[in-house]
Amino acid sequence: MAHLLRGKQAGIQNDLSVGLAPDLFVLDEINRFGINSQISQIAYDPVQSLLAVGTNDTQFGSGQIYVFGRKRINVILPLPRRASVRILQFCADKILCLDSKNDLSIFSLDTKEILASYSPPAKITALHSDPTLDYVLLGSQTGDILAYDLDRESLAPFKISNLWKEQNPRARPSPILTLSFHPRDIGTLLIGYGDGAVIYSFKQNKALRFFQYQLPRGAPGGDSDPSALHIARNPALTQAVWHPTGTFILTGHEDSSIVFWDPKDGRSIMARTLQDTNVDRPGTGTTSLGTNPGTFALKAPLFRIAWCANQDPDDTGILIAGGAPTTLPTKGLTFFELGRTPIYATSSWQVLSDHFESPKRQRILPTPPNAEVVDFCLIPRSSPHFAGAHDPIAILALLSSGEVITLSFPSGLPISPTNQLHLSMTFVHPFVTHASLAPVERTRWLGMTEKRAQGPLILKGGAEAKHPLKRFETRNIIQTAHADGTVRLWDAGHGDEIENESLLQVDVARAAGRSDGADVTLISLAGATGELAAGLKTGELIIFRWGHNKNAGKEAPLALSHTPHVLTNITERKDPSLTEGLLPFTLLDVQDGPVSALKLSDVGFVAAGYQGGTFVIVDLRGPTIMYNVSIQDLAKQDKRGSFRRNSGQSATKPEWPTAVEFSVMTLDGDDYSSILVHVGTNLGRLATFKLLPDPTGRYTVQLAGSLSLDNRVIRIAPLTAETGRPAYASQTAVSNLRHGVKVNGVLMVVTQSGVRLFKPASHKGAHKTWDEFLCDSAAVVRYEEVGYALLGLYGDGWARAYSIPGLKEIGTVKVGNILDVRRFSEAIITSSGEILGWKGPAEMALINVFGPGLNLNRSKDILLNPELLTPPRPTITNLQWISGTQHITPSDMDILIGGPDRPPSKRMIMQARADEQQRRAEGRTAGSGSNLAVSGQDEGYWAYMQRQLNERTEKLGIMGDSMDKLESNSAGWADEVGKFVQNQKRNMVMGAMKSKFGF
């Protein structure tokens, strides 16, 4: 009965929802975009060219690990239990993660699953690994170092007790803050305790040098407080890093001091801050003065220090996050470009001191205002060695706000993440302020591929999984506006194969004529024309069109003015790096508050409403302003009293447009169809305008009527009365007007408290009020070829579907467990029943209410390429070997840490198997008489492995040693090498020196 009554009231004779049943409404999560929680750690693997991002455990999501590759490759690695990622490192074909629950998790890049999880007996404060080792070192809060066997997935017998007790037996247990292998000698380990740094030798099983930063009375140090000058103090250590060749050691301290040490004799070469030098000497250095007389400025802590190397490891620079006075207007990363390192053997102490006191260049890599860098990740070109700081090309910096920025190295120029990083990373690069979705035909989207100048790719690893093809569906094109005034467009798909995976980038801030960003409030994309409209919080309306930039590569001035209330040509404000893409076209600034409603039609018209009450219609063919009126003036001009005047209070209440839509249909009382513009307001008023052609070829705007509803208008949906198909102002519908084609249409207007279905412009039609909860977002959806329904999101976290025209509830599905109910008003519902909504501050989910109920699987992509091998670890130089330095290989470390009785690791077995297969192949080639072939056939596999292990340990001379005798054996080895050096060094070294001088 409700169907017949409401259908008669609305002018719809058929039931447009025939065939829709409650069992069709099953939730299916298609995909997620963005980062679920605050980023805590970033790691990069230059061998596989993969990026790993760890997150914190917050109210928006638990901690997890994202692994990103090229294009859309993305794998999610969940932690064993709810926790935050504290330390994240790549190690060959594995990812190591230490979380806030003190659990060590090892993930495989090959299987994309967790291999092992270990809970150490003590709290772990530092973690360090090397891609050439099967072990990971764990530094504890008590100062002990444990070794975890990645191959055996258990704790190794090796342990280093707290070495600082040797320096100060009465000192309290100091936690280990940093661990770092020597860049060229893996047998030497730099340990950073809270009290100081220690160099430990695996070969000799003892500490070689201790480094403690001491400030006598009168030495300023890094403290800004002048009262601390009269106190002798030992600032606690926070950082400890090697020089890229191991020639020097750098330590950072809690007073923002940076100290350079000589690792051979343990002396301090230079102690400085970012501004001052020799701060460890009494009477030198200065304090950072505050903004007012008699005050001093606090310094930010040293968050991170990296000693970077160029292609030549002796050409170095130091990158520092933090350590600057808080009063500085510009905060960012500090880079000391040191240049070529002086030759240690031939340089005086003064030369070494001057090298660190006066760098070749000191620069600040700027970051966004009101945020500072708390951590960063270097992007090296190819080598995973040298602590990941060898020949870096870019920096991924993590800001205190939770955002990420990408800078070129060493220039510090900002790098756009568009088509460089995974699109999920663009959600925090910077944060997304607004998102919209528009359907675009497949052929149109395939042609929208911009040409932009771009540097070398950062992510090139992984291989995408296969997805089903849905070529004949319109593409879901998402537009995201970011805090820096950038808009990005990309295909979200339908869970299918995405043919055009590239992102489009639009620089709205440049088009607006400013360099400090632009706050975009609304975006509208015309799928048929490829035009884009952006509305700003400052009131500008900017239109972009697809075109070719003839002045690509030429920078244009940004500080360009425009005249208010008129259209301004902004075609010269093109992005110089863009050759072909969406280019600025025109700008309108009515100066009446932020843009509150925006719609760009497929037929060359754009309508915009402003929070001050202004409503504007622009014809883009001119372009020209067709109509400019205030909503309050329309209420005064309405002679029929369709706008409410119940009280003087409601008449003076501010009113502005909230929803705009274009349609083609026949108005009630007309005998022809025309282009219509419908605008709804925050007070529930709906006005309809006709766009009529005049003899000059232009269009005029005429108010057709208005209607008073009950609440804020959130959606306007024009429908064809006979079929239920959308009656939007498409290019086909407008062209049919020339032939006199009539469209019998109705209008469905959804408000927060109800829905009305009527014949425009002022017919009352059918009405329904929501029972208990307000509606935040709604749209008319279609299930395949079955029927249409009204789908809405409600404040209780449920999505409900209602029949048309009966407005009877058909089915419900809960979506509040996936989407954030508080942001339902920002969710977008497509015509096919897909919902794009916010799950967290930087994560969106695409779901389908007509799905098969499948669980989301985000680990189908392939990450590991087994053909990409880790390059050999750098070794000591010939001169170091001649001078007596004992060299230990990673294979030797397997025995030093795991012991001589440790069975071969999986990596050793695979290598031996490959060697054996190669030997057999060579034996078959040489013939049956080959001794090598006979040996390979007669000798068993495990016997071969045992023989290989025996030969390797015999060469080292420590085959029969246990871990208890390791120290004496290593010391004996050192004595033998020392004797050899004493006999040979003088003739060889002095002979080489004499030849230099011509003797």
Side-chain angles (χ1 to χ4, degrees):
M1 190 65 183
H3 153 64
L4 296 176
L5 179 60
R6 287 197 172 105
K8 184 177 181 180
Q9 292 174 343
I12 300 178
Q13 306 302 323
N14 304 324
D15 186 1
L16 305 178
S17 303
V18 174
L20 296 181
D23 59 345
L24 295 176
F25 294 88
V26 180
L27 191 63
D28 182 19
E29 189 171 0
I30 300 175
N31 207 342
R32 294 184 185 178
F33 312 99
I35 307 297
N36 74 322
S37 186
Q38 184 184 24
I39 295 179
S40 60
Q41 288 289 310
I42 303 176
Y44 179 74
D45 181 12
V47 177
Q48 296 292 334
S49 190
L50 299 173
L51 181 71
V53 173
T55 62
N56 283 326
D57 179 18
T58 64
Q59 59 177 331
F60 303 104
S62 61
Q64 58 187 16
I65 302 173
Y66 294 81
V67 184
F68 299 118
R70 61 186 180 90
K71 296 183 178 179
R72 300 290 182 92
I73 296 174
N74 179 20
V75 171
I76 306 296
L77 303 177
L79 299 182
R81 55 177 175 166
R82 194 179 182 99
S84 301
V85 177
R86 286 290 172 261
I87 302 177
L88 190 64
Q89 292 181 9
F90 281 96
C91 182
D93 60 343
K94 300 178 182 65
I95 292 182
L96 311 180
C97 172
L98 182 73
D99 59 36
S100 58
K101 298 294 180 63
N102 203 44
D103 290 342
L104 173 65
S105 302
I106 297 97
F107 297 90
S108 172
L109 291 176
D110 186 17
T111 62
K112 295 161 292 187
E113 295 178 352
I114 186 170
L115 297 176
S117 181
Y118 172 68
S119 297
K123 181 176 176 58
I124 302 302
T125 55
L127 181 149
H128 188 56
S129 63
D130 190 275
T132 60
L133 288 182
D134 287 331
Y135 300 92
V136 54
L137 300 182
L138 306 175
S140 66
Q141 192 173 18
T142 60
D144 299 333
I145 299 177
L146 309 176
Y148 184 85
D149 194 331
L150 298 175
D151 183 75
R152 295 296 180 268
E153 300 176 358
S154 62
L155 195 66
F158 181 81
K159 179 181 178 181
I160 302 176
S161 300
N162 192 333
L163 298 176
W164 198 257
K165 291 182 179 180
E166 302 178 14
Q167 176 75 2
N168 187 1
R170 304 178 61 181
R172 294 181 178 180
S174 180
I176 294 177
L177 302 179
T178 61
L179 293 170
S180 179
F181 288 116
H182 191 288
R184 293 186 179 274
D185 183 8
I186 200 169
T188 304
L189 179 68
L190 176 63
I191 308 171
Y193 294 92
D195 295 331
V198 179
I199 293 181
Y200 170 81
S201 172
F202 286 91
K203 299 161 286 192
Q204 304 180 31
N205 192 23
K206 68 176 184 179
L208 301 181
R209 292 285 183 272
F210 292 87
F211 308 90
Q212 186 174 19
Y213 182 42
Q214 297 179 348
L215 291 174
R217 293 182 179 181
D223 292 328
S224 301
D225 188 358
S227 61
L229 291 173
H230 307 290
I231 304 175
R233 55 205 187 275
N234 299 322
L237 182 142
T238 60
Q239 311 277 333
V241 297
W242 289 100
H243 182 278
T245 61
T247 310
F248 305 103
I249 287 176
L250 180 152
T251 59
H253 300 267
E254 65 177 5
D255 67 340
S256 300
S257 295
I258 302 171
V259 186
F260 300 91
W261 304 85
D262 184 351
K264 294 186 179 298
D265 57 11
R267 289 189 298 171
S268 171
I269 302 176
M270 169 60 62
R272 60 168 303 157
T273 62
L274 299 186
Q275 296 83 18
D276 305 322
T277 59
N278 297 313
V279 295
D280 59 339
R281 300 179 184 177
T284 61
T286 59
T287 57
S288 300
L289 301 179
T291 55
N292 298 323
T295 62
F296 61 91
L298 296 176
K299 289 187 175 70
L302 295 171
F303 298 109
R304 177 78 185 278
I305 299 177
W307 205 327
C308 309
N310 219 329
Q311 289 186 353
D312 181 1
D314 280 318
D315 187 3
T316 70
I318 301 175
L319 186 64
I320 304 172
T326 56
T327 55
L328 289 180
T330 303
K331 296 181 181 180
L333 294 169
T334 303
F335 182 63
F336 289 133
E337 187 177 344
L338 298 177
R340 293 283 303 176
T341 304
I343 300 176
Y344 178 84
T346 60
S347 299
S348 64
W349 192 262
Q350 185 63 39
V351 171
L352 299 180
S353 178
D354 293 342
H355 178 69
F356 300 114
E357 181 179 2
S358 303
K360 291 178 57 179
R361 187 182 306 172
Q362 178 177 348
R363 68 179 71 174
I364 295 179
L365 312 185
T367 56
N370 303 322
E372 58 183 347
V373 177
V374 296
D375 198 2
F376 59 81
C377 174
L378 293 170
I379 309 296
R381 294 183 187 272
S382 58
S383 175
H385 305 299
F386 298 101
H390 182 256
D391 195 17
I393 60 173
I395 309 165
L396 276 176
L398 179 62
L399 303 181
S400 57
S401 60
E403 296 172 301
V404 175
I405 60 172
T406 307
L407 304 175
S408 62
F409 185 88
S411 61
L413 298 176
I415 299 176
S416 173
T418 304
N419 298 320
Q420 276 283 8
L421 303 179
H422 191 274
L423 68 87
S424 290
M425 287 294 291
T426 64
F427 277 66
V428 292
H429 200 300
F431 287 137
V432 175
T433 58
H434 175 75
S436 183
L437 185 147
V440 178
E441 289 294 333
R442 170 180 169 267
T443 54
R444 162 64 69 175
W445 176 248
L446 290 179
M448 296 179 67
T449 304
E450 69 177 16
K451 298 179 181 179
R452 182 185 297 273
Q454 192 178 50
L457 293 178
I458 295 176
L459 301 180
K460 297 177 287 187
E464 293 178 290
K466 298 298 182 182
H467 299 278
L469 294 177
K470 299 180 181 179
R471 295 180 180 272
F472 301 104
E473 292 190 9
T474 57
R475 309 308 301 173
N476 287 332
I477 305 305
I478 298 179
Q479 312 108 54
T480 56
H482 300 260
D484 60 350
T486 300
V487 173
R488 297 185 176 98
L489 294 81
W490 42 275
D491 185 1
H494 311 271
D496 57 350
E497 193 78 20
I498 298 177
E499 298 172 284
N500 183 6
E501 298 177 327
S502 300
L503 278 68
L504 306 181
Q505 178 175 309
V506 179
D507 194 344
V508 179
R510 176 182 291 273
R514 61 175 68 102
S515 58
D516 56 349
D519 192 352
V520 179
T521 58
L522 290 174
I523 310 171
S524 181
L525 174 65
T529 61
E531 296 173 329
L532 179 73
L536 276 59
K537 188 175 182 179
T538 52
E540 292 95 340
L541 172 64
I542 305 176
I543 309 298
F544 297 86
R545 275 184 174 175
W546 194 268
H548 182 79
N549 184 9
K550 298 180 180 180
N551 297 322
K554 299 180 180 179
E555 186 71 31
L558 287 178
L560 302 175
S561 60
H562 53 263
T563 304
H565 307 289
V566 298
L567 291 171
T568 303
N569 186 353
I570 56 172
T571 55
E572 73 281 358
R573 304 182 187 181
K574 301 180 181 72
D575 188 346
S577 63
L578 184 63
T579 304
E580 183 178 358
L582 286 169
L583 304 177
F585 175 58
T586 187
L587 179 146
L588 176 62
D589 185 8
V590 300
Q591 297 186 345
D592 197 24
V595 177
S596 59
L598 180 63
K599 181 63 179 180
L600 180 60
S601 71
D602 290 337
V603 292
F605 302 103
V606 59
Y610 296 81
Q611 199 162 342
T614 300
F615 179 66
V616 178
I617 302 176
V618 177
D619 187 349
L620 297 180
R621 295 175 301 171
T624 180
I625 300 176
M626 299 171 53
Y627 198 67
N628 188 345
V629 68
S630 175
I631 294 295
Q632 290 82 0
D633 294 339
L634 289 178
K636 298 176 183 179
Q637 296 173 5
D638 190 0
K639 303 300 181 182
R640 291 171 292 182
S642 60
F643 288 90
R644 290 181 295 183
R645 299 186 184 89
N646 296 332
S647 63
Q649 182 179 0
S650 62
T652 58
K653 189 175 182 180
E655 186 176 14
W656 59 84
T658 57
V660 181
E661 190 57 75
F662 288 85
S663 70
V664 172
M665 65 177 65
T666 304
L667 291 175
D668 188 21
D670 289 349
D671 58 354
Y672 61 92
S673 295
S674 57
I675 304 175
L676 305 178
V677 182
H678 315 278
V679 54
T681 70
N682 63 311
L683 299 182
R685 295 164 181 168
L686 183 80
T688 299
F689 301 88
K690 282 202 281 188
L691 274 61
L692 301 174
D694 60 9
T696 62
R698 299 182 179 181
Y699 279 81
T700 60
V701 179
Q702 176 183 339
L703 177 63
S706 58
L707 183 69
S708 179
L709 305 177
D710 50 7
N711 209 326
R712 178 189 179 96
V713 177
I714 60 175
R715 185 62 184 255
I716 303 172
L719 305 174
T720 304
E722 291 83 2
T723 62
R725 294 181 179 275
Y728 296 120
S730 63
Q731 294 180 350
T732 303
V734 172
S735 63
N736 288 337
L737 293 178
R738 302 176 181 177
H739 308 290
V741 177
K742 297 181 181 180
V743 179
N744 181 20
V746 295
L747 210 60
M748 177 174 284
V749 182
V750 184
T751 65
Q752 289 182 321
S753 57
V755 58
R756 185 176 294 274
L757 190 61
F758 62 96
K759 184 85 171 177
S762 57
H763 194 276
K764 293 298 181 181
H767 179 261
K768 179 180 176 58
T769 302
W770 314 128
D771 297 330
E772 299 179 3
F773 300 96
L774 297 179
C775 181
D776 296 315
S777 181
V780 175
V781 300
R782 180 186 184 184
Y783 175 64
E784 296 181 352
E785 300 295 333
V786 178
Y788 294 86
L790 173 65
L791 182 65
L793 299 178
Y794 296 83
D796 60 346
W798 287 77
R800 295 181 174 88
Y802 294 88
S803 63
I804 302 174
L807 299 179
K808 180 182 178 180
E809 185 175 309
I810 304 175
T812 61
V813 60
K814 186 174 179 60
V815 297
N817 56 342
I818 298 180
L819 303 181
D820 188 355
V821 179
R822 296 167 297 182
R823 303 186 69 176
F824 267 6
S825 60
E826 302 176 56
I828 303 138
I829 304 175
T830 69
S831 59
S832 58
E834 295 170 339
I835 303 174
L836 177 70
W838 288 96
K839 185 174 176 62
E843 184 181 27
M844 301 188 77
L846 183 65
I847 60 179
N848 187 7
V849 297
F850 297 122
L854 301 177
N855 293 327
L856 177 62
N857 186 359
R858 306 182 66 183
S859 300
K860 296 182 180 180
D861 296 329
I862 300 174
L863 296 177
L864 184 67
N865 183 357
E867 297 181 358
L868 299 176
L869 302 178
T870 302
R873 203 175 192 278
T875 61
I876 60 176
T877 63
N878 293 334
L879 186 60
Q880 289 175 317
W881 182 83
I882 292 174
S883 62
T885 303
Q886 304 171 23
H887 175 56
I888 289 293
T889 65
S891 298
D892 302 333
M893 291 290 291
D894 289 338
I895 298 178
L896 292 174
I897 297 178
D901 298 329
R902 178 179 183 262
S905 65
K906 297 177 183 178
R907 184 175 56 181
M908 295 168 61
I909 293 174
M910 293 178 62
Q911 182 64 39
R913 185 178 301 168
D915 294 343
E916 183 180 5
Q917 292 176 354
Q918 183 179 2
R919 185 177 63 254
R920 289 182 176 179
E922 294 175 352
R924 285 192 296 268
T925 303
S928 59
S930 174
N931 295 331
L932 185 61
V934 172
S935 174
Q937 293 173 359
D938 295 341
E939 186 179 27
Y941 177 72
W942 289 106
Y944 166 75
M945 288 299 304
Q946 187 64 34
R947 180 174 60 82
Q948 291 292 319
L949 181 62
N950 293 342
E951 291 178 358
R952 184 165 58 88
T953 52
E954 287 172 0
K955 292 179 181 179
L956 289 173
I958 58 175
M959 174 58 191
D961 294 334
S962 62
M963 292 302 295
D964 297 333
K965 298 180 180 180
L966 179 62
E967 179 179 0
S968 59
N969 180 265
S970 299
W973 186 15
D975 293 339
E976 292 178 2
V977 175
K979 293 177 181 179
F980 171 78
V981 172
Q982 293 296 329
N983 295 329
Q984 303 294 331
K985 180 172 63 176
R986 180 178 182 84
N987 294 333
M988 298 181 65
V989 176
M990 296 303 297
M993 295 296 296
K994 290 179 179 179
S995 64
K996 293 290 185 179
F997 293 95
F999 294 103

